[in-house]
Amino acid sequence: MSAFDLLMGVLLIASALAAVTLKNAVHAGLALVANFLSLAVVYFALEAQFLGWIQIIVYAGAVMVLFLFVIMLLFDAKADVGLDRLPWMRPLAAALAAAFFLALAYAFSGVGPVNPLADVKLGGGLPKALGGLLYGNWLYTVLLVAALLFAATVAAVSLVQPQIRKARVKPQVLERDRELEEVGK
Amino acid sequence: MTTLIILFAVALLATFAGFFAPPRSVKIVTLLGMLTALVGLALTWGDRATAFGGLYVADAFSQAVTLVMVVGAILALLADCGYFERKGWPAFEYYALVAFAVFGGHVMASTAHLGVLIVGLEILSIPLYALAASRRDAAGYEASLKYFLLGAVAAAFFLYGIALYFGSTGSFVLGATGKGLVFNAAVLMLMAGLSFKTALTPFHWWTPDVYQGSSTPVTLFMATVVKAAAFAALARVLVAVGLTGPAFYAFAAIVLLTVFWGNLTAMVQGEAKRMLAYSSVAHAGYIAVALFGPNPAPAMGFYLLAYALSTGLAFAVLAELDDGAGVPLEKLAGLWGRSPLLALGWTTALLSLAGLPPLIGFWGKYLVFVEAAKNGQYLIVALALFAAVIAAYYYLKLLAVALFGKPVKAEPVKMSGSAPLGIALAAALVLLLGVLPGIAYGWFSAATVLIK
């Protein structure tokens, strides 16, 4: 494990922890941006350049900016998020996470790169190499992702559209009905 | 390939038909599409088709599971009618999302490639997160959010499992040889991710809240379609890696926990939908018992069909009684006097779920237990059988309330639209395939889980 690996690991874990624990929604969003950027650096280090740029442009750029806009439009930017209804869960979750980490660390102990990717020509992870793969062997997956995004759009639209309204009744009509009822008594 | 195209075309058609037709017409379009899918399945039954360089494989097992999913979707569509006539019709997206979920389930069932599997899993799940909130009240939103958050965590586990699987075998395709600790960790994580979707204990915590909070036709859909698709994927994964070593012990523990936890907690519930949710957890355990056998596909396919018909029937009856606030046991009281058809359906469904002969549920249980016994897993079979005997208690309790309970208001239940048709159809199938189980078993007997 090199110093770079260690540094990136610490950065990734710290920013992820900050994203879920910070009380201020905007701070949490910014921590998530930091997390995305660290991840992009890891991609670059793995010579996945296209993926790294996509990570920055799409996630850290477009998605997170939209996210921050929504947060700032919806709440007071200082709004507290994450009211903790089950505070006793926290130490339990931490203990379980630690156990999970140790188990995985044990699984990885003494294992080198199990399956070296040296024989795969990725051309520095640039679109030229990726395009052939995406529209060759992985075409089915690309098509399915298109279907997934379409289904997700339909789902999102169905979630946000307003309630199916009953026929709108004018206030004057309501008032008249009320008066008629009173007369009836 | 035919089925894949038909299912995708139905989803698209349902989406675009909604732009210029009222929701009820979209429902008919979706229903007709599902019937077309049935015809397509029947025409290609037993044919093996591969496409996209082997990423899509429609073999006998995938067809069996797809049959169960289409039947479940048809039941859900038929049962929704009375419910929504009273509650107000949902937006047309409801039907499009149902079609998309079935399409995703079919994708999941017809592949041995983990990358395709996770995309299929998401195509199945994302429509469901929205469907769970279709009733648009606090309980519905809670159900949807819970399902979404826990589903996202499960998907993360599954993805991490895929990464480890690739790291230890160098392949995304199931069946690659691998060994060592990293491989075991990968298998356990894949198992955990899919156990969530199949609602196996201890990954079932979402089930009761989501089943109770969703509108009843959606619950019907979840209990039948999602279970079938998730079990198809789980079977593909576990049979390909082989249930040996730590995976065997982990899975045996999960299955035994599931059958006991599901049945014991179902006993103390006071609401019918919640009770059936725990019953669905327990049934997931029985289906999983088949995975300990040498060739689980026929028994699993049969059990999934039996379970989809029985629990679909039970939820269809509940959909007629549910006014949006759930079905407390008192609401079931005196069902026989209020609506003989509902009472008949309810009785058939519960006796089939309890596993009494000559209903289809009995043969399902018989097949999965025999399957596991073929590999000498007598301890698991004996314990699961014991749990099934415990389960009879609460099924009979539900039945007794409906048959002998004194109703608060003895008014007849008004049924409307296509719901009676769905209930009659499902009840007839539960009876018919129970008396002649050979017919249904014949459909599944050629299935194998492994894709070579």
Side-chain angles (χ1 to χ4, degrees):
Chain A
M1 188 188 282
S2 65
F4 174 78
D5 290 350
L6 205 62
L7 177 70
M8 290 324 294
V10 169
L11 268 181
L12 278 171
I13 294 175
S15 56
L17 273 180
V20 293
T21 51
L22 282 178
K23 289 282 181 211
N24 185 314
V26 176
H27 293 173
L30 289 173
L32 199 54
V33 174
N35 186 269
F36 286 161
L37 290 178
S38 324
L39 199 57
V41 173
V42 174
Y43 287 151
F44 285 126
L46 292 171
E47 285 190 43
Q49 297 188 35
F50 180 69
L51 204 58
W53 285 116
I54 288 294
Q55 175 78 15
I56 291 176
I57 297 168
V58 176
Y59 281 89
V63 172
M64 274 321 293
V65 168
L66 272 179
F67 219 73
L68 285 175
F69 263 119
V70 171
I71 292 172
M72 291 189 189
L73 283 177
L74 284 185
F75 306 121
D76 180 9
K78 289 197 180 90
D80 272 2
V81 287
L83 173 70
D84 207 349
R85 283 175 186 279
L86 302 166
W88 53 270
M89 274 293 218
R90 222 167 244 239
L92 188 66
L96 282 177
F100 185 59
F101 178 77
L102 287 180
L104 276 183
Y106 174 66
F108 282 113
S109 60
V111 182
V114 190
N115 174 55
L117 292 170
D119 53 330
V120 186
K121 298 271 178 292
L122 288 174
L126 287 170
K128 196 176 175 185
L130 283 184
L133 277 177
L134 276 184
Y135 292 96
N137 297 341
W138 290 78
L139 177 66
Y140 183 47
T141 330
V142 174
L143 294 176
L144 284 180
V145 168
L148 170 63
L149 290 178
F150 187 64
T153 313
V154 176
V157 168
S158 84
L159 273 182
V160 298
Q161 70 189 346
Q163 276 278 22
I164 302 158
R165 288 193 202 91
K166 296 198 180 81
R168 215 172 85 84
V169 187
K170 283 183 185 161
Q172 297 95 312
V173 178
L174 278 178
E175 179 75 5
R176 201 191 58 204
D177 285 352
R178 202 174 53 78
E179 280 167 8
L180 281 175
E181 209 169 276
E182 275 174 12
V183 171
K185 280 177 195 165
Chain B
M1 192 71 180
T2 328
T3 318
L4 186 79
I5 293 172
I6 293 177
L7 286 175
F8 187 59
V10 173
L12 281 187
L13 210 62
T15 310
F16 290 110
F19 290 163
F20 45 81
R24 299 181 67 164
S25 317
V26 180
K27 172 189 166 170
I28 293 168
V29 167
T30 318
L31 206 51
L32 287 178
M34 289 297 150
L35 290 176
T36 320
L38 267 191
V39 173
L41 269 178
L43 289 180
T44 58
W45 196 260
D47 299 349
R48 186 194 158 91
T50 60
F52 299 109
L55 293 191
Y56 172 80
V57 182
D59 60 354
F61 185 56
S62 113
Q63 285 162 345
V65 174
T66 310
L67 171 73
V68 175
M69 289 190 289
V70 172
V71 167
I74 289 176
L75 274 184
L77 289 171
L78 287 177
D80 75 0
C81 199
Y83 187 84
F84 289 131
E85 251 170 46
R86 289 192 306 275
K87 300 278 302 165
W89 288 86
F92 72 88
E93 284 97 342
Y94 177 91
Y95 300 103
L97 290 175
V98 165
F100 268 114
V102 176
F103 169 70
H106 178 64
V107 168
M108 261 177 100
S110 353
T111 188
H113 190 282
L114 287 169
V116 176
L117 198 61
I118 182 90
V119 181
L121 183 72
E122 290 304 312
I123 302 180
L124 171 78
S125 305
I126 286 184
L128 279 165
Y129 301 146
L131 284 177
S134 63
R135 209 172 57 200
R136 295 182 163 254
D137 54 8
Y141 290 136
E142 185 190 334
S144 173
L145 193 65
K146 266 188 185 152
Y147 197 20
F148 173 67
L149 287 178
L150 293 176
V153 172
F157 265 91
F158 192 72
L159 268 177
Y160 200 19
I162 293 177
L164 294 186
Y165 186 88
F166 183 73
S168 58
T169 64
S171 167
F172 285 114
V173 183
L174 285 168
T177 48
K179 56 181 191 306
L181 287 171
V182 179
F183 182 71
N184 282 333
V187 171
L188 290 182
M189 280 213 235
L190 293 176
M191 193 194 284
L194 289 172
S195 297
F196 170 84
K197 278 285 160 208
T198 49
L200 290 167
T201 316
F203 306 99
H204 73 287
W205 300 107
W206 57 278
T207 318
D209 287 343
V210 173
Y211 277 29
Q212 193 183 14
S214 311
S215 58
T216 314
V218 175
T219 314
L220 195 173
F221 188 76
M222 286 175 186
T224 54
V225 176
V226 180
K227 197 144 282 196
F231 261 110
L234 188 65
R236 297 264 200 224
V237 171
L238 288 187
V239 172
V241 300
L243 266 181
T244 50
F248 173 82
Y249 291 109
F251 198 62
I254 287 178
V255 168
L256 291 179
L257 252 181
T258 307
V259 286
F260 279 101
W261 185 267
N263 282 323
L264 289 175
T265 38
M267 281 187 183
V268 294
Q269 305 301 323
E271 206 260 356
K273 270 166 89 178
R274 210 172 167 81
M275 218 177 215
L276 285 182
Y278 277 109
S279 136
S280 105
V281 171
H283 278 275
Y286 303 139
I287 302 171
V289 168
L291 283 171
F292 292 103
N295 179 27
M300 270 185 98
F302 188 91
Y303 200 109
L304 283 170
L305 182 69
Y307 178 66
L309 286 173
S310 318
T311 205
L313 179 56
F315 278 118
V317 171
L318 288 186
E320 289 308 294
L321 298 171
D322 187 5
D323 55 5
V327 188
L329 293 188
E330 309 86 67
K331 248 192 219 174
L332 280 166
L335 192 62
W336 195 265
R338 290 157 62 204
S339 167
L341 175 65
L342 285 187
L344 193 70
W346 187 241
T347 312
T348 322
L350 287 182
L351 292 182
S352 175
L353 284 174
L356 293 184
L359 298 170
I360 192 170
F362 167 75
W363 297 106
K365 282 210 177 67
Y366 172 78
L367 283 172
V368 296
F369 290 153
V370 165
E371 186 65 34
K374 276 185 198 157
N375 259 6
Q377 306 297 343
Y378 297 113
L379 184 65
I380 294 173
V381 172
L383 287 171
L385 258 177
F386 180 57
V389 175
I390 300 176
Y393 167 76
Y394 66 86
Y395 289 124
L396 292 181
K397 181 171 138 194
L398 276 174
L399 196 56
V401 173
L403 296 188
F404 311 119
K406 272 250 184 300
V408 189
K409 282 184 292 179
E411 56 190 19
V413 183
K414 247 179 44 189
M415 285 199 288
S416 44
S418 56
L421 176 67
I423 291 170
L425 202 67
L429 279 175
V430 168
L431 261 174
L432 187 73
L433 295 179
V435 177
L436 303 165
I439 300 176
Y441 188 70
W443 299 337
F444 303 123
S445 55
T448 50
V449 174
L450 268 187
I451 293 177
K452 284 172 205 90

